[in-house]
Amino acid sequence: MTGENKRLVYVRAMATLAPFRVRSLVGPFRLETSGTFTLVLPGRDSPYTLADLLALAPDTLIRQPEGSYFLTENLVVLTGATLALDAPEGISLRLKSDPASFVSIVTLGGSLSVSGSAAAEDVNLYESYSLGGH
């Protein structure tokens, strides 16, 4: 089993147990996973948006000078949740990657929506190799 698979098995197990172990747990939460962090988005009626992520992860979702976003922690979208990265002007999202680790966005029963408009220049998800991006 790869490191990423082990991380996801752990996240799924902890997400299942967390509401029973922490009675006051409502909404998104973080797990430390193999020296990195994973922001877990549990199910809810409305989609999680870019604005939600900026509020939940102001230190790990960083707007770059040219307008793209740089994500430095993993995201997991659970059953009943939708992550909607939708913007008429388009979104460029860079995911941190280096020789020791990488960041991922994974749906575990949830969904991911990425869209723009016909006028948008780009809607991209791609890896970046340094904090400043490429």
Side-chain angles (χ1 to χ4, degrees), residues 38-112:
T38 299
L39 178 59
V40 180
L41 305 176
R44 71 177 195 185
D45 292 338
S46 61
Y48 292 94
T49 64
L50 183 61
D52 291 326
L53 290 183
L54 288 167
L56 291 166
D59 297 326
T60 59
L61 181 62
I62 305 156
R63 180 109 192 218
Q64 301 297 292
E66 84 288 350
S68 70
Y69 295 90
F70 186 62
L71 182 63
T72 63
E73 75 178 332
N74 298 292
L75 296 178
V76 170
V77 185
L78 296 178
T79 301
T82 297
L83 175 57
L85 300 177
D86 305 326
E89 69 279 3
I91 295 173
S92 290
L93 178 61
R94 299 171 186 248
L95 307 178
K96 181 179 181 253
S97 177
D98 60 40
S101 64
F102 62 91
V103 164
S104 65
I105 300 174
V106 176
T107 61
L108 294 177
S111 62
L112 172 64

Side-chain angles (χ1 to χ4, degrees), residues 16-58:
T16 301
L17 295 173
F20 299 107
R21 300 182 106 197
V22 182
R23 294 189 198 281
S24 62
L25 181 65
V26 177
F29 58 94
R30 276 189 179 73
L31 294 172
E32 185 173 357
T33 51
S34 304
T36 64
F37 287 92
T38 299
L39 178 59
V40 180
L41 305 176
R44 71 177 195 185
D45 292 338
S46 61
Y48 292 94
T49 64
L50 183 61
D52 291 326
L53 290 183
L54 288 167
L56 291 166

